[in-house]
């Protein structure tokens, strides 16, 4: 079981920055993939940025590459039950406006090459409540 607690979000003008945080608590050992999905009104939920807690390889959707950075609070060992990830969002655009959800795939995480997490919605079985990001 993984508990996810999100913080951050809010309103910002186009071109500005915001940082989202997600504190993840799990109660057993092992790596997990954790990161952010977003859903705008009338659109499907999409993976934005996801990081592998063992190794730090990350996935980014094309629309945010070069603008968003996902990171972890410290080097992770398999024994570490708690990890916080940060999503630094720079040069925000109006199309970034959405509800942002922290999500985790644990205990199983599907990887692409190089340990990069896959950004498929169905892979993620733990979800936070969401935080709104509005860019205008």
């Amino acid at each position: 079981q993984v508990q996810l607690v999100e913080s951050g979000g809010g309103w910002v003008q186009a071109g500005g920055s915001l940082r989202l945080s997600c504190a993840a608590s799990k109660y057993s050992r092992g790596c997990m993939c954790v990161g952010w999905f977003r859903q705008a009104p009338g659109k499907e939920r999409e993976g934005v940025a996801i990081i592998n807690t063992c190794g730090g390889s990350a996935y980014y959707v094309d629309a945010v590459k070069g603008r968003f950075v996902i990171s972890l609070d410290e080097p992770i060992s398999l024994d570490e039950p708690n990890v916080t990830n940060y999503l630094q969002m720079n040069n925000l655009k109006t199309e970034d406006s959405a509800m942002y959800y922290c999500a985790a795939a644990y205990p199983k995480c599907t990887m692409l090459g190089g340990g990069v997490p896959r950004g498929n919605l169905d892979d993620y079985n733990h979800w936070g409540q969401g935080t709104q990001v509005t860019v205008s």
Side-chain angles (χ1 to χ4, degrees):
Q1 185 70 16
V2 178
Q3 292 185 333
L4 304 170
V5 178
E6 302 142 329
S7 60
W11 174 86
V12 66
Q13 289 186 329
S17 298
L18 283 174
R19 189 175 81 158
L20 305 181
S21 301
C22 174
S25 300
K26 57 180 175 70
Y27 301 98
S28 58
R29 302 180 67 202
C31 306
M32 69 177 175
C33 294
V34 63
W36 298 87
F37 286 72
R38 68 184 179 187
Q39 188 168 20
K43 295 188 176 181
E44 294 185 352
R45 192 172 295 190
E46 66 172 350
V48 175
I50 302 158
I51 192 165
N52 176 355
T53 62
C54 292
S57 296
Y59 161 88
Y60 294 94
V61 70
D62 286 346
V64 308
K65 288 180 179 177
R67 300 189 297 122
F68 290 13
V69 178
I70 190 168
S71 61
L72 299 171
D73 57 349
E74 59 186 55
I76 298 300
S77 73
L78 291 179
D79 291 326
E80 176 57 57
N82 302 313
V83 59
T84 297
N85 80 81
Y86 304 95
L87 183 64
Q88 179 66 41
M89 305 185 292
N90 300 319
N91 190 21
L92 281 159
K93 304 177 181 181
T94 55
E95 52 263 42
D96 294 318
S97 295
M99 184 70 78
Y100 282 69
Y101 297 90
C102 185
Y106 182 80
K108 179 182 177 181
C109 177
T110 301
M111 306 288 186
L112 303 172
V116 174
R118 194 169 69 173
N120 289 35
L121 182 67
D122 292 343
D123 290 351
Y124 294 82
N125 55 343
H126 304 279
W127 292 88
Q129 292 187 338
T131 184
Q132 180 69 38
V133 171
T134 302
V135 185
S136 62

